Amino acid sequence: MAECVRTVFHVDMDAFFVSVEELFDPSLQGKPVVVGGQRHERGVVSAASYEARKFGVHSAMPLRTAARLCPQAIFVDGHPDRYRDCSEKVYSVLTSFSPQVEMVSIDEAYLDMSGTRRLHGPPLLAAHKLHQRMKAETQLNCSIGIGTSRLIAKVCSGKAKPHGVLYVVPGQETRFLAPLDVRDIPGVGKVTEQKLQSLGIRTVGDMARKEDTFLDEHLGKWGLALAGKARGEDAGAWFAGEIGDLDAAKSISHEHTYNEDTADIAQIEATLMRLSEMVARRLREQKVHARTLQLKLRYKDFTTITRAHSVEMPTQLDNEIFYEVRKLFHANWRPGSQVRLLGVQASSFSAESSQADLLSGQARDKWQQALSAVDRVREKFGESSVRLGTGMKGGFRERTHENPAALPGKSKPPSQ
DNA sequence: TCTGGGGTCCTAGGACCC
DNA sequence: TCTGGGGTCCTAGGACCC
């Protein structure tokens, strides 16, 4: 029965960031373009045009390396809001093809195309129509992978780039996967590839031939699951779960790498304050409170530590987050050491903060209202229009964990 | 080469509880 | 007294993805 066979599309935009930049500046078309920053900056390539890739430039490569490989490349700063806008247009095109669309990142999505045959025709015809409508409505190209599972569809779209379609006919999954390099499987990076190689596994077929006990011992349940798919066993649970549920974020973080390393406390604390503000603002936007706050600290030599603390009362307030990460910083920083990167992360979300203490609850509400107003001003006039600056730090220093109500400047001196 | 920023998921050890 | 086993929470680190 044909209805039993699932049809999954994986749609992946071609050189997305570069293509969007070309829409805003058509003179970039056909040239080697690198998106992500300027040639001398500390940073890595977010995306490279196909012309730049010919010189060996690829994403995640340091900008300075890219500049060396391709001196004539044009370096462009990224514009996240442009990509978000375009991504929304892409999404609306996709939803006109299937009611089941799941964006898995800003430039790729899975579509459940099962049961759309009457509307769109067989898979290859539907893909052709999707190509055309995408180009007409967004001026962007995409590649489309088609299979009976997300895994197959995803691998196919990669092989179809750029602007192509690849369809693995139902029943041919095992034959398609077997000769593939393990590196073609999403989730297999450099480290896992090395590990597999040391076990004598180079292709997906090599993996499928191993005993379950062997796979379980060396690779855990991940290995078992992949080998199962490689043998053509259906793993079920296609939509919701196979890759991950993206409906609600599980963590919110911001980090900053200095252009030059620093050991200046004032600068460091100003950065932590700014990052705390950014995180708190997004918590408020998403209407969640975080219980776990984490500091990330990277030294000059790239050694990186993370230190987390879970607070009793979940928060979405700038100053409470700053207070915690500042404390974590001072408890873990080797004084005088040059800092390269700082990060602030919030996780363990709940919808409402538990109002344990009524008094402190009222004070928190006032803060909440004030900060929502700040958010609205920022929305209207830009990020730099309001700064809850380091000038307030004195107040934070006095405050205690047990007494968050002492925070607002107007309230009584911080006694306990 | 000299290594961003924003995420997800997994592992593993210790605390703590029954 | 020389020592079980499971479950869950917390924290740290790391692989991986776009």
Side-chain angles (χ1 to χ4, degrees):
Chain A
M1 291 199 302
E3 278 86 313
C4 291
V5 178
R6 209 179 342 252
T7 305
V8 178
F9 277 26
H10 182 253
V11 178
D12 201 335
M13 306 306 293
D14 296 334
F16 184 60
F17 293 176
V18 173
S19 304
V20 173
E21 295 302 333
E22 285 174 358
L23 294 181
F24 283 82
D25 179 2
S27 78
L28 295 174
Q29 280 170 26
K31 294 183 185 155
V33 175
V34 172
V35 178
Q38 298 306 309
R39 60 180 68 235
H40 53 269
E41 279 178 344
R42 224 179 214 189
V44 298
V45 177
S46 289
S49 68
Y50 287 99
E51 289 76 15
R53 292 182 203 182
K54 288 180 192 155
F55 293 84
V57 177
H58 57 80
S59 50
M61 168 184 283
L63 291 167
R64 291 170 190 176
T65 308
R68 214 167 20 73
L69 289 174
C70 187
Q72 67 272 50
I74 301 168
F75 286 77
V76 179
D77 289 339
H79 296 92
D81 38 343
R82 292 180 181 175
Y83 310 144
R84 253 192 302 277
D85 289 348
C86 283
S87 185
E88 278 168 25
K89 286 186 194 156
V90 167
Y91 179 72
S92 70
V93 172
L94 297 178
T95 49
S96 72
F97 274 80
S98 167
Q100 284 252 53
V101 177
E102 192 182 312
M103 295 294 291
V104 281
S105 76
I106 198 154
D107 71 340
E108 60 179 298
Y110 289 101
L111 278 67
D112 187 350
M113 294 291 284
S114 313
T116 67
R117 200 170 265 257
R118 206 138 20 113
L119 195 59
H120 298 298
L124 285 174
L125 179 59
H128 181 65
K129 282 159 62 177
L130 176 50
H131 256 157
Q132 291 190 316
R133 202 179 300 171
M134 187 65 77
K135 185 71 178 179
E137 293 185 21
T138 68
Q139 300 170 266
L140 297 168
N141 289 331
C142 62
S143 297
I144 303 170
I146 309 170
T148 54
S149 73
R150 289 184 180 227
L151 175 69
I152 299 284
K154 166 99 181 166
V155 173
C156 282
S157 71
K159 300 267 176 208
K161 284 196 163 295
H163 200 42
V165 179
L166 186 58
Y167 176 30
V168 170
V169 175
Q172 297 301 304
E173 291 82 3
T174 307
R175 288 227 315 236
F176 170 72
L177 288 173
L180 293 182
D181 198 297
V182 286
R183 195 59 204 270
D184 288 331
I185 301 301
V188 177
K190 239 204 222 145
V191 176
T192 307
E193 183 187 25
Q194 283 301 309
K195 183 170 182 184
L196 289 170
Q197 209 159 53
S198 74
L199 295 171
I201 296 170
R202 264 193 45 257
T203 66
V204 180
D206 294 339
M207 188 137 182
R209 281 188 289 274
K210 297 287 181 192
E211 298 280 348
D212 273 357
T213 49
F214 176 89
L215 294 165
D216 192 25
E217 185 184 336
H218 292 97
L219 302 167
K221 33 179 195 185
W222 175 88
L224 279 177
L226 178 56
K229 285 178 193 173
R231 297 181 199 121
E233 295 157 16
D234 203 24
W238 302 104
F239 263 82
E242 191 177 327
I243 298 272
D245 176 14
L246 278 111
D247 290 345
K250 298 193 167 92
S251 67
I252 288 175
S253 65
H254 284 282
E255 57 189 60
H256 177 70
T257 296
Y258 290 110
N259 260 323
E260 284 179 37
D261 303 332
T262 182
D264 176 359
I265 290 290
Q267 188 182 15
I268 285 167
E269 291 199 357
T271 304
L272 289 178
M273 181 72 226
R274 184 169 56 85
L275 294 170
S276 300
E277 283 172 15
M278 292 163 70
V279 167
R281 186 183 172 191
R282 286 181 56 206
L283 290 171
R284 269 174 256 132
E285 279 170 5
Q286 318 239 330
K287 302 192 192 310
V288 292
H289 296 249
R291 212 163 60 76
T292 305
L293 303 167
Q294 185 189 257
L295 167 81
K296 182 165 162 183
L297 174 53
R298 174 128 73 211
Y299 291 108
K300 185 189 177 72
D301 68 357
F302 223 74
T303 57
T304 307
I305 62 163
T306 58
R307 291 294 179 269
H309 178 64
S310 293
V311 295
E312 217 144 300
M313 190 180 298
T315 183
Q316 52 174 196
L317 302 180
D318 304 29
N319 40 37
E320 294 188 354
I321 295 171
F322 175 64
Y323 175 79
E324 294 299 336
V325 297
R326 179 178 179 276
K327 202 160 70 174
L328 288 168
F329 176 82
H330 286 289
N332 292 282
W333 181 53
R334 299 191 306 258
S337 308
Q338 295 277 310
V339 174
R340 178 189 178 92
L341 168 148
L342 291 170
V344 173
Q345 189 199 58
S347 58
S348 304
F349 297 149
S350 54
E352 288 299 321
S353 76
S354 53
Q355 301 289 328
D357 174 340
L358 187 60
L359 248 185
S360 84
Q362 285 170 355
R364 287 164 60 92
D365 283 349
K366 288 205 167 128
W367 266 102
Q368 202 107 346
Q369 286 165 21
L371 288 167
S372 294
V374 168
D375 290 346
R376 286 194 296 275
V377 172
R378 281 183 180 141
E379 186 91 17
K380 221 166 162 183
F381 301 106
E383 201 58 50
S384 57
S385 56
V386 181
R387 172 104 298 149
L388 301 179
T390 46
M392 299 175 78
K393 267 187 330 209
F396 298 133
R397 203 169 297 128
E398 308 293 350
R399 167 182 179 271
T400 67
H401 177 61
E402 296 72 29
N403 186 19
L407 267 172
K410 54 168 264 182
S411 66
K412 70 256 175 202
S415 59
Q416 352 195 4

